[in-house]
Amino acid sequence: MKTKIQWKLMVSYLAVVVLVGLVIYGYLGHSLKVHLTDETRDNLVNEARLVRIMATKEIQVMERDGFSLARTSGREIKARVSILNNKGIVVGDSELSAGGIRSLENHSNRPEIRQAMAGEIGTSVRYSSTLGTDMLYVAMPFRTESAGGGVIRLALPLASLEKAISGMHAMLWAALAFAVLFSLLLSYLFSSFISRPLRTMSAMASRIGKGDFSCRIPVTSRDEIGELGTVMNEMARKMGSQLEQISAEKTRLDTILKGMGEGVIVTDENGVITLSNPAFHHLFAVQVQEQGTSLFEITRQPGMFDTLRKVLHTREDVVEEITLGGQEDKNILVHWVPLVEEGTLLGAVAVFHDISDLKALERIRKDFVANVSHELRTPVSVIKGYAETMLSEGSSLTPDKTTHFAAIIHNHAERLADLISDLLTLSRIESGALPMEPLPTSIESAVNRAVRLLDQKWSDKDVRVVSDDTLGTAPMVLADQQRLEQVLVNLLENAIKFTPAGGAITIAATDIGTHVRISVNDTGCGIPGKDLQRIFERFYRVDTARSRELGGTGLGLAIVKHIVQAHGGSVAVESTPGKGSTFSFTLRKTDAPAGTP
């Protein structure tokens, strides 16, 4: 592009020079020929006047004196001189002998002779068959007293004139060639001077087009090119500033979208996704790059398609709730908003809120309210019923019945007190009001104390509690000793309840890097797979009737989970129905770095 501009400038300058040169050449060539011809004719006319003067004085006898005068004057004026009588017969010629003159035809029909006989100065240019060349003729009448009238004709060959004109043409061609070469050099220098800033602008524009808005065009003049450079510099500055602003806004938008917990998509008017964020990819388990893909290809939710069509058609917001199937059903609240700019529908924006946890919490809350109401109602009803009986039949009751009723009331009162105590404990743990003092603690010592506390229960149930050898080699853990023993007691008590007579409970410890896993394995009835996810919920019971027969408040495992989580650990359960269950939890080792998960 740069070279083309320079060559175009050079060719344009050269074309102007050549055109002007050709015009000058043509004009000068024609003018020169006309001028030389006219000048030669004028000279011949002047010379003819001189010869006429001589003829008027010297010619006495036309045939004799005309021949001599033609010879003499021809030698002097270097032109062909012919003397003709008034009848057009040549009587003298400077180029012919007497015999040759006699052989000439009558010249009265020659145009210059006719003009001369008519009293005028006759001129003519024509080919001479006698001399075999183009000749310029000038004829002039004369009169003598003795010989009468006649005509003097001077002729000059045009070969010398043509030679002079050819020489002038050669000089003109040489001048034109020199002008072309000189103009070529000047046009090259001038076009280079003009195209240099254009090349610089082209290079700068190319860099700007590639995103380098820091480059500036040097402005060295105040003409149109300088103004263009100034405009391009200002344009580059504004474009760079706008691009930085757009980039910053895009970065902020990307950061916001990536940090949002809600899924977001933007579609065009045809339902093709033009923007999406990681939360949406996670919700719908799709690839990271879904731009350019139709929404219909990503999800098989007919309701979403109908809602999208409705939003695009009505241009109104729509809120709907959908359920995504999979390993776990997800409840999604979708808010659709039409994307309209200056009255033109560009598409739609959808925000996906995962409300599965809210739904689960709502379900747990409802279950908790129902369970706690039921758990509280049972002992309260029993206490109320027996108390009313004792009040109404107080005097008629035997001492044994009174004692029996009082024992029942006492047992249910204790159960109610345990339930309230566990609820308070759980509430304090969740709110952080229950202080935890993690100190280096021996797992083996904590297990031994918990086993001794339940010695009577597992002995009465005829269940063996086995401490695995791994407890003795397990590293120290950071734990509140009292709360750790409470966790172990709850897990052991739960295992004793559901392990039949003759069964065994095994307690083991495993070093898993920064943490230690403590597990309690029983050989009881096991837990169905559908209940494993909810086993640590408040008041959740696998077999409600059997659980109540065995006693307990239904809050033991929930207390275990919250105490362990307060220590920075986690709980887990594995079970095979009919073969037993394994409850485990993790605690951080004393030598693990602070904050280690």
Side-chain angles (χ1 to χ4, degrees), residues 443 446-447 450 471 477-480 483-492 507-512 515-520 536 557 559-565 567-574 582-588:
I443 297 175
V447 169
L471 293 175
V477 295
L478 285 174
D480 185 304
R483 299 306 164 194
L484 176 56
E485 290 177 5
Q486 185 178 1
V487 168
L488 291 170
V489 167
N490 285 355
L491 292 178
L492 287 172
I507 308 171
T510 306
D511 189 342
I512 56 172
H515 286 65
V516 176
R517 178 183 290 113
I518 300 98
S519 59
V520 178
F536 290 100
L557 292 179
I559 292 174
V560 167
K561 182 181 76 170
H562 285 83
I563 290 177
V564 172
Q565 289 178 347
H567 281 77
S570 61
V571 295
V573 60
E574 298 177 1
T582 300
F583 287 84
S584 61
F585 62 94
T586 61
L587 294 174
R588 186 161 56 90

Side-chain angles (χ1 to χ4, degrees), residues 1-245:
M1 183 62 68
K2 303 172 188 175
T3 305
K4 287 184 178 179
I5 292 176
Q6 183 173 350
W7 279 110
K8 285 179 180 178
L9 290 173
M10 289 180 62
V11 169
S12 63
Y13 298 150
L14 190 61
V16 171
V17 171
V18 170
L19 180 62
V20 172
L22 290 176
V23 171
I24 293 175
Y25 173 81
Y27 175 76
L28 289 180
H30 176 73
S31 299
L32 181 63
K33 184 175 181 180
V34 172
H35 174 72
L36 290 177
T37 302
D38 291 343
E39 186 177 358
T40 302
R41 184 184 294 112
D42 292 342
N43 289 335
L44 283 178
V45 169
N46 293 330
E47 291 173 352
R49 285 193 179 98
L50 292 175
V51 175
R52 183 175 63 177
I53 293 174
M54 294 172 62
T56 301
K57 294 179 178 181
E58 295 181 6
I59 294 179
Q60 301 296 323
V61 179
M62 187 67 67
E63 286 77 6
R64 182 194 65 199
D65 297 333
F67 180 82
S68 176
L69 179 61
R71 285 275 185 172
T72 303
S73 58
R75 284 196 303 269
E76 296 297 330
I77 64 177
K78 306 300 180 184
R80 181 182 179 183
V81 179
S82 300
I83 306 296
L84 292 84
N85 60 21
N86 55 6
K87 295 181 180 179
I89 298 173
V90 178
V91 296
D93 193 294
S94 61
E95 300 293 332
L96 298 176
S97 61
I101 293 174
R102 285 192 294 271
S103 62
L104 293 177
E105 61 182 9
N106 192 299
H107 283 32
S108 61
N109 61 341
R110 302 289 195 277
E112 69 276 7
I113 301 300
R114 287 199 303 270
Q115 290 178 348
M117 288 181 174
E120 300 175 356
I121 297 176
T123 62
S124 174
V125 176
R126 67 176 184 276
Y127 181 77
S128 173
S129 58
T130 304
L131 299 179
T133 184
D134 287 334
M135 301 290 289
L136 173 63
Y137 296 97
V138 173
M140 188 175 293
F142 73 93
R143 178 169 293 279
T144 63
E145 294 180 357
S146 59
V151 175
I152 297 173
R153 188 183 72 173
L154 273 68
L156 185 67
L158 295 180
S160 59
L161 182 62
E162 293 293 336
K163 183 177 180 181
I165 293 175
S166 298
M168 292 299 297
H169 283 175
M171 291 178 61
L172 288 175
W173 276 115
L176 180 61
F178 176 77
V180 169
L181 292 176
F182 187 69
S183 64
L184 184 62
L185 176 61
L186 288 181
S187 65
Y188 175 78
L189 297 176
F190 190 56
S191 62
S192 296
F193 176 76
I194 293 179
S195 63
R196 186 179 299 112
L198 296 178
R199 290 197 300 268
T200 303
M201 290 183 184
S202 177
M204 294 299 103
S206 177
R207 291 175 59 184
I208 292 173
K210 293 177 181 178
D212 183 7
F213 298 103
S214 62
C215 60
R216 293 292 182 270
I217 298 172
V219 178
T220 58
S221 63
R222 295 185 178 181
D223 56 6
E224 290 82 356
I225 294 179
E227 292 179 0
L228 178 60
T230 303
V231 171
M232 290 185 67
N233 287 338
E234 182 64 18
M235 179 187 68
R237 185 188 65 79
K238 290 184 177 180
M239 288 179 64
S241 177
Q242 292 176 356
L243 185 63
E244 289 179 359
Q245 183 177 358

Side-chain angles (χ1 to χ4, degrees), residues 442-454 467 471 488 492 507:
S442 168
I443 297 175
E444 185 178 25
S445 299
V447 169
N448 291 336
R449 283 191 293 272
V451 171
R452 284 196 298 271
L453 288 173
L454 298 174
S467 296
L471 293 175
L488 291 170
L492 287 172
I507 308 171

